Amino acid sequence: MFSHKSFPLINHISRRFVQNLPKNIRLELDPDVNKQTESNDRKLAFFKQHKGKFHCKTELPKKLEESINTILSDIEPQRLNIDKKTLQDHLVERRLPLERRELQSIAQNVIENLIKTEPPINTLAMSPDQREQMNLLRQRELVKRLKSSIYHWQPLAFDEYKSKVYLAANFAAHYAMLVQIFNEIKRRERDFQPVRLLDFGSGTGSVMWAALHTWGKRTFAELLNIDKSREMNNLSQLILQGGEQNKVPLVPNVIYRQFMPHGRENTFDLVVADHTLFELENRFDRLKTIRSLWYNVKPNGFLILVEQGTIHGYSAINEARENLLYRIATSGESKEKSTDVNIEEPTTIETDDSSSSEKHSSPAHIFSPCPHELICPKKHLNIPCRISTRYRPLQIFDLKRNLPHYTTADMSYIVVRKAERDSNDVYVKWPRVIEPIVDRKHHQHVRLCCPNGQYINVPISKNKHGVGLHRLSHHAEPGDLFPATGEVIQESPIVEKEMPTVSEPRKRQRRAYRT
């Protein structure tokens, strides 16, 4: 097992590189996976698929793609492609809005730099008009520098045409990301059957369609989509009707709202916020929204947050992760305190409201992608932790293409479950692949996020680690769990040999040669 005692923690501030796996740690493949890779049966020996393989290829269902093409048929294809590319570039470069303290510090630095670079001027020798003119020039230069150094954040505003462009640009990628996340939940938790789904910031409804693809239509009794844009809600409802108005929806029990529901805590099995945190104005609103979403999760349910796989999307996810970990830690402390009070003063608990304490102090743990609940090791490295997924783009006006072209999309996400972690779960002991595999001539470099909270690089070769690990590492992809554990090898102590006593050098006798 990758434990804290295996090797010392990495000082990320002093060393800005990935630490290799120490030599005193031996990797051992999972026994079930080892049997599968070494089996003579070709079906069992298919090492590209195993219990920890979650990276997948995704295609849109044919009926869903046809309904989207029906909606987009009234737009000129050339114009749609140009606007789609412009929107995608804007979303990739998007950042979180700056806080007030950050704005004040940036403005102060700009003013100080402006004063330093300004040449010395004798203002006493100037006339009042010249002083006024100089102050105007200073103000213009200050405004120019502030505009160039401060990110101007604006929320996305959609009308009917812009919502269709957003549908064409992002629906297939968001659908593929969520299908990969939902498939991992379904495979790891086979007894979990969601009944109610809450999608905050639903947009075009990609979360709903991914959930229906994973668990089926008959599973859900309620699908609640919340989006402040009325045009987005109308477009999502039009997709449900097959692209034609006044038609019976393809899926029942779908509800659309513009605001969060009140008084429905501990109700939903799945609560999802897909590419929504960037639409909130400041950190306070983001954390407040995350808190309300967490309270809507039912016990044994899941909270899923997804953002772009950029450094700014990762920072938004990491901010939410740290806040949720703080809530999990405080709920555990409050639970321990309540048990202590229960032992000492049993009469005081009867007057408390037990329902409110159960709502706000439920046990929880991080389900994926992190195999630990410590500080993210990539935070100090300033590297985004992102998982890739492969999908086929939306085939606009071309549904009969025989050779589909797959592309890759990156996402930063977190899945938190409102339940205690199962210590007997095999998946908890495995690290996760979080970087693309680096192939070399006779080995591969696999970069793992381990259960002890460390980010390490493991060079795997056939001679050193065996055929099974070598095959798995060759076909591993970001997002997969690596079915191996590490054990510390006790190195044999080095016995120092006794050095022989050094004697005085023997004098060399001169040899007599015959003449």
Side-chain angles (χ1 to χ4, degrees), residues 132-143:
E132 186 176 356
Q133 185 68 21
M134 185 186 67
N135 290 331
L136 286 174
L137 292 175
R138 281 179 177 174
Q139 289 179 2
R140 289 175 184 174
E141 183 65 22
L142 180 61
V143 170

Side-chain angles (χ1 to χ4, degrees), residues 290 294 303 305 320-329 416:
I290 291 167
W294 178 245
L303 172 64
L305 305 175
R321 179 182 183 272
E322 291 178 351
N323 181 261
L324 289 169
L325 286 176
Y326 173 75
R327 293 189 178 279
I328 292 169
V416 185

Side-chain angles (χ1 to χ4, degrees), residues 29-42:
L29 192 61
D30 184 74
D32 296 336
V33 180
N34 195 15
K35 289 179 183 178
Q36 180 182 353
T37 54
E38 295 181 356
S39 175
N40 294 324
D41 190 358
R42 292 185 64 183

Side-chain angles (χ1 to χ4, degrees), residues 87-104:
L87 178 62
Q88 288 174 345
D89 294 341
H90 172 69
L91 293 176
V92 168
E93 297 174 357
R94 209 160 179 234
R95 305 179 186 178
L96 289 171
L98 294 172
E99 300 295 325
R100 184 174 295 178
R101 292 180 181 178
E102 296 174 350
L103 290 172
Q104 291 175 355

